[in-house]
Amino acid sequence: MTTRARQSVRRRQVLSREQIIASAIELLDDGGEGALTVRALTERLATGTGAIYYHVGTRDELLDAATETVIAAALAARTDPASPAPEDEIRATALSLFGAIAEHAWLATQLTTQFARRPSGPVTVGIFERIGRQVRALGVPQAAWFSATSTLVHYILGAVSQHVRFERDAHGAPGDVGREKFLGDVAAAWQDLDADAYPFVRAIAGQMREHDDREQFLSGIALILDGIARLR
């Protein structure tokens, strides 16, 4: 066996799939999807491309694996391990997903991709299973399980993705003005609108400026849960 071949074997033995995925997540967190390349990953791990392909596969498979890993960790979070109420479990799962996507900005796009490209994959079915079990536990009629669960899932992912885009735009503004200044500028612009053409937008400008993202997110969950309660 040549020296190069022996080194390749040792690398595959030392590196694990989990280590490769963890490094891929670090690259994604640091620079977004564009930062994740097989070359960048091999440089970070001081290994060859063979080890990457052997343990995980292509770049797309790396993205899938990174997404699955982060979502699996988010779904593993629970409230009271004994017997949480379904509503509490839904809120806890929603907040866990909120936190995961807020922490890993690249995840928002990947979740959309997963739902469209891999509807039978572990990410899609994992989220639906976790939320859907609680919808069933709420006593919702079976005929409404899919619509109720879909409404919750789509709200959670859509609201969090919007939050991530908002945070990115706020910090990407000239001078990196930050969230408070960004919201203040938007609120001021809303209040300057024509009173006859935009009375509602002017009225809520202050609320938009002062809102808390997580509280607003949970308010949306509460509204949906109130609607689901009527299905019973």
Side-chain angles (χ1 to χ4, degrees), residues 166-178:
F166 180 85
E167 288 292 312
R168 182 184 59 202
D169 290 345
H171 290 290
D176 191 13
V177 296

Side-chain angles (χ1 to χ4, degrees), residues 4 16 33 40 48 61 75 110 114 153 156 175 183 200:
R4 185 182 295 275
S16 68
E33 288 187 32
E61 289 171 319
L75 293 178
Q110 277 304 303
Q114 289 282 333
V153 170
I156 291 168
L183 288 175
F200 178 79

Side-chain angles (χ1 to χ4, degrees), residues 1 3-14:
M1 182 181 292
T3 301
R4 185 182 295 275
R6 285 195 296 269
Q7 290 175 340
S8 179
V9 170
R10 284 199 297 271
R11 284 166 180 158
R12 286 198 296 268
Q13 291 173 339
V14 173

Side-chain angles (χ1 to χ4, degrees), residues 163-203:
H163 168 74
V164 169
R165 285 193 294 269
F166 180 85
E167 288 292 312
R168 182 184 59 202
D169 290 345
H171 290 290
D176 191 13
V177 296
R179 181 182 185 278
E180 184 175 349
K181 177 66 164 56
F182 184 84
L183 288 175
D185 290 345
V186 174
W190 283 13
Q191 288 171 334
D192 286 340
L193 292 171
D194 182 87
D196 293 328
Y198 303 100
F200 178 79
V201 174
R202 283 169 51 90

